Amino acid sequence: SKPVTALAYNSHHKCCVSGDEVGILEIWDTTQGTKEGQVVGAPCSKLRNQLEYASKMDTDLYSLAKKKTFPRCISMSTRYFVIYGSDHKVRVFNLATAKVEVRYDERLSVYASKSA
């Protein structure tokens, strides 16, 4: 495992989303898993965390790693989480499916070419 670069908590689903420096995203159940009396997190479940996927392979949680980018920050709402990547792209994920619903390219060159 690599160092975490971004982390966000969702109180409604009682989970955390984390991303590391190679772009691997994880969704953690914050109500499970203990180490010496401290909650350390465990994989999420469909039932406990109201998620709709059975396997990470059915999600876009590896999409940043495939693009060789990593999250600089993560923001949460009840139904979505948003990642700003080191590639200057914003990705909006549906939390229940862990699929990307929208991508925005925030590179300066994109805006410069549109104004020319």
Side-chain angles (χ1 to χ4, degrees):
S1 76
K2 297 292 182 181
V4 170
T5 58
L7 178 74
Y9 177 68
N10 183 303
S11 60
H12 178 76
H13 291 278
K14 296 184 177 27
C15 66
C16 271
V17 175
S18 66
D20 66 21
E21 65 183 15
V22 293
I24 302 296
L25 301 175
E26 297 282 354
I27 302 178
W28 303 95
D29 182 342
T30 58
T31 67
Q32 300 294 310
T34 61
K35 181 178 181 180
E36 299 172 12
Q38 296 179 349
V39 175
V40 294
C44 283
S45 76
K46 292 172 85 170
L47 181 61
R48 270 193 317 271
N49 305 103
Q50 304 161 2
L51 303 178
E52 297 175 9
Y53 60 91
S55 166
K56 280 178 63 174
M57 299 307 291
D58 300 329
T59 71
D60 290 334
L61 294 175
Y62 295 114
S63 64
L64 272 72
K66 289 178 187 175
K67 297 289 185 182
K68 301 202 182 313
T69 189
F70 62 91
R72 291 194 184 270
C73 67
I74 301 172
S75 182
M76 284 281 207
S77 73
T78 304
R79 295 181 46 214
Y80 299 95
F81 64 96
V82 179
I83 292 180
Y84 178 71
S86 61
D87 61 354
H88 303 283
K89 293 184 181 169
V90 176
R91 294 163 177 88
V92 179
F93 286 77
N94 179 312
L95 181 60
T97 63
K99 293 272 192 181
V100 175
E101 293 201 354
V102 181
R103 286 179 188 83
Y104 300 99
D105 192 337
E106 293 294 314
R107 292 176 295 160
L108 184 57
S109 61
V110 172
Y111 294 104
S113 67
K114 291 183 183 201
S115 67

